[in-house]
Amino acid sequence: MKWLALFFFGVIFSGGIFVSHAQAQSARQTQTFDTSAGVVKITPVYHASLLIEAGGKNIYVDPAKPANFSGLPPADLILITDIHGDHMDPGSISQISKSGTEIMAPPAVVKTVAAAQSISNGETKTWNDWTIEAIPMYNIQRGPSPGQFYHTKGRGNGYVLTYGGRRFYFSGDTENIPEMRALKNIYVAFVCMNLPYTMPPDEAAQAVKAFHPQIVIPYHYRGSDLNVFKNDLQGTGIEVRLLDWYPKSD
Ligand SMILES: [Zn+2]
């Protein structure tokens, strides 16, 4: 019996080696959301990089180093929010592209990523079964020196993506701006928080209270205390999901 047990242990163990790639994939914290057009799956990849899967199409937002795309599908659409290296990374874009991959980005990004179609703050586009709205993202008080901002108004885009009647918001790099507070009917919000570039967790919580999504997922939060954010939203009825956006590379 002992040998038999060892034999099965050996099979399971060696199986483990063969499936390690699949295991690395299953370790990803994919979130599943129901819509009237079917399921939308959203997978955190790294920092601001994420994958959206629905209706057989794959959309990436801000694919950028050091995100690990192994085991993930090629992109049908890539959305980019801004010019900084944690959002716009030509190397990652080419890594996940295939023939026919479309890219949408604000004009400041199109200067570098020439293959992208331009979409500016306030513009709406339709792409397959999705509606894509470009939302402002900018600093109102923080910058590298007085009178300057890390993100100037009009340069970058947050996005609201609608599929099957559900609205998904990706904030990009922003502070607690009026355009964010005025968002309506958001089902899931991905909201940034990190200093000095965007905002601290308590300001992010104030903004989220104002537009009141059903679910909020902090992303682009390096170095922030997410418990502050979660505690601030206690009792509001907004579901806070904390995910690991900084996985160790495997
Ligand atoms: Zn950023």
Side-chain angles (χ1 to χ4, degrees):
M1 279 309 283
K2 201 175 190 178
W3 287 109
L4 197 62
L6 277 174
F7 171 75
F8 280 117
F9 177 77
V11 167
I12 291 162
F13 183 72
S14 58
I17 291 166
F18 289 115
V19 299
S20 65
H21 187 70
Q23 280 174 334
Q25 238 182 294
S26 67
R28 295 190 192 270
Q29 296 178 308
T30 302
Q31 306 294 298
T32 301
F33 305 102
D34 288 324
T35 80
S36 66
V39 162
V40 171
K41 290 185 185 178
I42 303 184
T43 302
V45 184
Y46 189 86
H47 184 59
S49 305
L50 59 97
L51 165 65
I52 306 166
E53 297 167 275
K57 300 285 187 196
N58 307 309
I59 303 173
Y60 286 84
V61 179
D62 286 346
K65 280 188 265 299
N68 171 13
F69 300 103
S70 70
L72 298 180
D76 295 292
L77 174 66
I78 299 170
L79 295 173
I80 300 172
T81 61
D82 199 13
I83 59 173
H84 294 156
D86 56 330
H87 302 271
M88 178 184 81
D89 172 20
S92 292
I93 291 171
S94 64
Q95 198 187 336
I96 59 167
S97 289
K98 59 179 181 181
S99 113
T101 297
E102 293 179 67
I103 308 172
M104 293 185 196
V109 169
V110 179
K111 282 183 188 162
T112 304
V113 183
Q117 303 173 45
S118 167
I119 179 169
S120 299
N121 287 185
E123 252 189 279
T124 299
K125 290 184 189 284
T126 303
W127 183 84
N128 289 292
D129 294 330
W130 291 87
T131 303
I132 298 164
E133 295 167 65
I135 308 295
M137 49 148 270
Y138 57 95
N139 290 103
I140 44 187
Q141 49 175 317
R142 297 181 178 90
S145 56
Q148 289 195 305
F149 298 116
Y150 293 112
H151 308 87
T152 51
K153 187 174 181 178
R155 188 186 70 204
N157 292 332
Y159 294 101
V160 172
L161 306 188
T162 306
Y163 183 90
R166 298 282 209 193
R167 287 160 59 74
F168 299 84
Y169 170 55
F170 304 90
S171 73
D173 287 14
T174 191
E175 293 185 31
N176 177 359
I177 57 171
E179 295 88 343
M180 181 179 183
R181 300 173 67 84
L183 291 170
K184 296 272 183 276
N185 197 21
I186 301 295
Y187 180 44
V188 187
F190 291 77
V191 173
C192 68
M193 54 199 77
N194 71 326
L195 289 179
Y197 305 106
T198 65
M199 58 185 157
D202 56 332
E203 285 182 29
Q206 289 306 314
V208 168
K209 280 181 194 172
F211 72 92
H212 211 278
Q214 290 189 40
I215 300 166
V216 65
I217 298 177
Y219 82 142
H220 193 289
Y221 60 69
R222 196 196 313 267
S224 300
D225 184 353
L226 298 183
N227 289 320
V228 171
F229 180 76
K230 192 169 185 173
N231 290 339
D232 282 359
L233 289 176
Q234 254 175 16
T236 60
I238 300 167
E239 179 188 339
V240 179
R241 289 193 194 171
L242 302 184
L243 306 177
D244 180 9
W245 290 77
Y246 301 91
K248 303 269 179 293
S249 53
D250 36 29

